[in-house]
Amino acid sequence: MLKSLDIHLTNKCHFNCRHCLYNSGINNEDEGELSTSEWIKIFTDFSHLTGGKGSINLLGGEPLIHKDFFKIANASVDLGLKTNLISNFGFSDSVIRKISEIKFRRLSFGLHGCENNHDWLRNSKGDYKNTLKIIKLFLKLKNRPLINITTVLHKNNLDDVISVLELGKKLKIDSQSFFFFTPVGRGMDFPGLMAGPDEWQKTKGKVLGWLKKNKPAFSVKWEKAYIPASQAKQFYGGLCSGENTTSLEIRSNGNVYYCGILSGVDGPAVGNLKKESIADAYKSLSSKRMKGVSGCTALAILSQKNNKKIIDPRPHNSKWTPSCPYELESLCP
């Protein structure tokens, strides 16, 4: 059953983050972007499909750059949809105030380690301090939205994981999510940043140890990234193998994907909402899935485009093999 939509309002962004899956930039908009009225119709159809109980995740690029962002966001809220915002929040105080007036369910902020590591990944000096300032501002609001911190982990910031957890505890946020640095989009320029399986498992162990000791009030999601090699024969690409998905990814040109990374590598779309309804695109999903490879099919496609073998390029060893990046687990000590 379809429960949520990841909505890329635009691929334009005023940042130039080094880990951006979509190569978003100030001049990098998708050709043939959906109009505001088309977005609102999509939300209306989705609300009917889910009985008004669905979730909308607004992202980009940078969604706040869209000229009608506030009209679109308010339309989603007015339809009763749980509306969440994923943004870099690098805007003026007046824009931040307008955001606070919308009844968002959750705001997601990226904090990628200590100040130097965060600013390097965001490619924006001073962004760590600005992001922290805005998080604190929203935490002070009465009837505030839920606050989530996401952290992309790579070889150079793995040692920052405990400080990020400590910060979340100090701020009294609601949730934290940790993701593996994926070499897609601009991340392709830094393949050496991918953590190996032993490093990844060691870092996960540190997180579990911290959680057991500190028992924070917030929840923690962790990207698996790797599974035991003994399970490889039973694993054929996660979502690509036909696992049920409750979420769809909608690009700003209307293309529909069941995986954001497939979207990031210009993989085959399962439909386009300029030509068909969400319900029809979702119904046809099972017949349009790609035959998976062990690991991530999208990353394998990217390897093929670079004249390499059709194989997930992430590190592996005799104990661990790459898994679907969409496989997250809730960490409990």
Side-chain angles (χ1 to χ4, degrees), residues 2-193:
L2 188 60
K3 296 181 179 180
S4 67
L5 299 179
D6 290 343
I7 300 294
H8 293 257
L9 286 182
T10 179
N11 199 44
K12 294 179 70 174
C13 183
H14 58 309
F15 274 38
N16 196 37
C17 299
R18 289 183 165 96
H19 64 302
C20 182
L21 292 175
Y22 308 106
N23 270 317
S24 300
I26 200 63
N27 297 313
N28 292 6
E29 62 184 329
D30 290 332
E31 185 176 347
E33 289 193 346
L34 294 167
S35 67
T36 297
S37 61
E38 286 174 317
W39 279 124
I40 293 174
K41 183 181 185 305
I42 288 168
F43 293 174
T44 302
D45 291 346
F46 179 60
S47 179
H48 292 158
L49 189 64
T50 62
K53 297 180 180 180
S55 295
I56 293 287
N57 301 311
L58 298 175
L59 58 152
E62 172 48 59
L64 284 159
I65 281 182
H66 193 287
K67 64 181 180 67
D68 285 332
F69 169 79
F70 291 101
K71 180 178 181 179
I72 291 170
N74 276 310
S76 177
V77 171
D78 290 345
L79 286 164
L81 298 167
K82 302 181 193 74
T83 308
N84 309 307
L85 174 61
I86 299 93
S87 168
N88 60 47
F89 295 95
F91 292 89
S92 66
D93 291 347
S94 62
V95 172
I96 298 302
R97 278 196 298 271
K98 288 187 71 175
I99 295 171
S100 69
E101 294 168 1
I102 299 177
K103 294 181 180 179
F104 285 111
R105 178 175 177 270
R106 183 179 65 245
L107 303 180
S108 287
F109 296 81
L111 272 180
H112 307 293
C114 69
E115 183 173 351
N116 288 341
N117 282 332
H118 171 92
D119 287 356
W120 181 85
L121 197 65
R122 276 282 177 86
N123 210 5
S124 177
K125 189 169 180 60
D127 185 66
Y128 178 90
K129 290 179 178 177
N130 184 64
T131 301
L132 200 53
K133 180 188 77 172
I134 296 171
I135 291 174
K136 291 177 179 178
L137 184 153
F138 279 105
L139 284 169
K140 291 178 181 177
L141 293 178
K142 187 177 180 180
N143 301 319
R144 67 170 177 82
L146 298 172
I147 301 298
N148 177 62
I149 287 178
T150 65
T151 304
V152 174
L153 291 172
H154 53 81
K155 278 183 175 289
N156 294 344
N157 71 350
L158 287 175
D159 289 340
D160 294 344
V161 68
I162 299 302
S163 64
V164 173
L165 288 164
E166 293 283 2
L167 179 61
K169 181 182 178 182
K170 180 180 179 181
L171 293 173
K172 298 182 180 180
I173 62 167
D174 302 289
S175 59
Q176 285 193 338
S177 306
F178 293 94
F179 296 97
F180 184 91
F181 177 88
T182 305
V184 174
R186 276 193 289 278
M188 289 176 63
D189 294 334
F190 308 97
L193 287 184

